[in-house]
Amino acid sequence: MRRMKLDALVAIGGEDTLGVANKLASMSVPIVGVPKTIDNDLNGTDYTFGFDTAVNIVTEAIDRIHTTAESHNRVMVIEVMGRHSGWIALHAGLAGGADMILIPEQKYTIQEIVSTIRKRHERGKDFSIVVVAEGAQLVSEEGIGQLVAHAVEEGTSYETRVTVLGHLQRGGTPTAFDRVLGTRFGIAAIDLVHAGDFGKMVSLQGNEIVAIPLAEAVNQLKLVDQELYDLATVFFG
């Protein structure tokens, strides 16, 4: 930074990027953080930009897959991103009308999953949509989506298919919400630089853009809490 004669550095990214930014801040480097990750798992901000776009992409995919699930009477397992947190799976699953949502913050047994699918079929529901975050806690050498699909088909004899959305979630046209949020974050970051208020990350709390210490943003991941997950499961089935 001295060689390039930089006055300040604005770090834009998720937990890894901002973790490095926090270490640089502790070395008195003039740095400001902007939260950008589709996982929405940074502490101290309600939303990171990129998350809303990813949720919309996954929701659209669920809508498209729903057509095949219903017309072919299949169980469709959709694996989405989320190694440590289930925000994408939870929001997109709810928006897309998923019948089960499996996230890293909860533990599941094969029997529990199979039983839920069986009960739906017994009530006359001939298809099911299961949204699975990649970090959902079922131990296997297979991908989690493939594991769930095999278990459901073996345990119920219902034809099951798996779709792994992968990096489709990380690209595409940003939503209006993300565009506006990114712009607001950018303006707030420049204001911090202008004021010399370094070692901070801009964040969205309610509808206000505020600054919080970088250390607070990266000291732990923001995970889906039990109360929110319980509320979401009321709509399953």
Side-chain angles (χ1 to χ4, degrees):
M1 287 185 68
R2 284 193 297 268
R3 185 173 66 252
M4 297 179 69
K5 298 181 180 180
L6 300 180
D7 296 315
L9 187 63
V10 178
I12 305 172
E15 57 170 320
D16 291 335
T17 299
L18 296 185
V20 173
N22 183 48
K23 291 179 181 178
L24 290 173
S26 69
M27 300 164 59
S28 299
V29 172
I31 192 166
V32 168
V34 176
K36 179 193 73 69
T37 168
I38 67 170
D39 292 323
N40 199 43
D41 58 359
L42 279 168
N43 204 28
T45 184
D46 293 345
Y47 291 102
T48 57
F49 75 97
F51 171 67
D52 187 69
T53 299
V55 167
N56 275 269
I57 290 169
V58 174
T59 301
E60 182 180 351
I62 294 171
D63 288 345
R64 292 175 182 274
I65 290 169
H66 194 283
T67 303
T68 299
E70 190 166 4
S71 65
H72 288 67
N73 295 334
R74 286 177 178 166
V75 177
M76 304 295 281
V77 177
I78 304 168
E79 182 181 317
V80 303
M81 287 185 168
R83 281 180 302 164
H84 306 296
S85 63
W87 292 108
I88 293 176
L90 186 67
H91 281 246
L94 283 172
D99 305 300
M100 284 196 78
I101 301 173
L102 310 180
I103 63 174
E105 292 87 341
Q106 302 288 323
K107 292 183 179 180
Y108 309 92
T109 65
I110 294 298
Q111 293 78 10
E112 179 184 2
I113 297 168
V114 168
S115 174
T116 300
I117 301 299
R118 278 191 177 280
K119 287 176 181 176
R120 276 184 52 79
H121 278 248
E122 288 167 2
R123 296 199 305 269
K125 304 289 187 179
D126 294 329
F127 70 95
S128 295
I129 300 287
V130 182
V131 175
V132 186
E134 62 184 326
Q137 298 184 51
L138 284 174
V139 179
S140 171
E141 293 179 359
E142 297 178 286
I144 185 66
Q146 198 65 52
L147 172 66
V148 171
H150 282 168
V152 169
E153 191 161 74
E154 186 174 311
T156 64
S157 299
Y158 306 142
E159 190 175 359
T160 305
R161 296 289 185 271
V162 60
T163 300
V164 180
L165 294 183
H167 288 87
L168 285 174
Q169 299 157 85
R170 298 180 62 84
T173 304
T175 60
F177 179 88
D178 272 342
R179 295 179 195 214
V180 172
L181 182 60
T183 302
R184 294 180 70 193
F185 277 162
I187 292 170
I190 295 304
D191 286 344
L192 289 177
V193 170
H194 183 70
D197 192 6
F198 299 113
K200 301 287 183 65
M201 182 191 82
V202 296
S203 70
L204 178 69
Q205 296 183 3
N207 197 39
E208 299 295 320
I209 303 295
V210 301
I212 65 171
L214 273 166
E216 179 183 329
V218 299
N219 67 351
Q220 64 181 10
L221 289 176
K222 182 182 72 176
L223 303 177
V224 177
D225 60 38
Q226 186 66 50
E227 183 178 356
L228 180 58
Y229 185 75
D230 288 344
L231 177 64
T233 58
V234 169
F235 300 100
F236 293 174

